[in-house]
Amino acid sequence: MSVWQDGRYVAAVLHTQRTILLTRATPAQSGMNPTRLFMLRDSVIQLGTLQQCQRELVGQQQQQHVQLGYSGVLASRLQLKALDFWLGPQNTLRKMSIQYAPTATIRRVTLDFQLQERLTASSKLPVDARTQVLNSQGALLPAYQGYRLVNQIGPAH
């Protein structure tokens, strides 16, 4: 999945389903405070207990596999059992797996990161998110020809 968000719109590309979703950012998304999100992320990482840290060959690439285990109040509240991270060159996050407690509805969520681009000045795109998937006439960009468009916001311009 690829996701772009500006202050007003969200464009999500579901590659395996060949579908593009365009929606308006909810007030919670548009007003999201990235500092609070980073603090939560950092707390979850700091409260984990290192279970494993080793190099692994993944495909043709050496990656560092780090696993954090959880117990106690945090584990109980979040129903969290373990977090696994696979780091590539320059410590780029290549893959992450979240293991939940056996009583949780979801047992595991795994995210594979194909491309990472970080914005340094803001947590939101400096341009209209819709332009990442649509041209100025509102048609899909050539890279997304053959994808199904679910447009919940109307014309692009």
Side-chain angles (χ1 to χ4, degrees), residues 6 8-9 11 22 128-134 153-157:
D6 60 33
R8 298 175 58 202
Y9 304 107
L22 291 178
D128 188 326
R130 297 173 296 178
T131 63
Q132 303 301 309
V133 295
L134 301 176
I153 57 178
H157 302 284

Side-chain angles (χ1 to χ4, degrees), residues 78-146:
L78 299 177
Q79 295 198 4
L80 186 60
K81 183 177 176 185
L83 287 177
D84 289 87
F85 302 95
W86 287 264
L87 304 171
Q90 291 82 43
N91 289 325
T92 55
L93 183 60
R94 305 305 302 157
K95 182 177 178 180
M96 183 174 101
S97 179
I98 306 165
Q99 296 177 49
Y100 292 96
T103 56
T105 306
I106 300 172
R107 298 289 189 254
R108 178 186 303 257
V109 172
T110 301
L111 304 166
D112 286 306
F113 298 94
Q114 304 298 317
L115 172 67
Q116 297 178 42
E117 296 178 272
R118 291 194 171 95
L119 300 174
T120 55
S122 169
S123 64
K124 297 179 180 73
L125 283 175
V127 297
D128 188 326
R130 297 173 296 178
T131 63
Q132 303 301 309
V133 295
L134 301 176
N135 64 23
S136 60
Q137 290 78 41
L140 290 173
L141 294 175
Y144 303 113
Q145 292 303 312

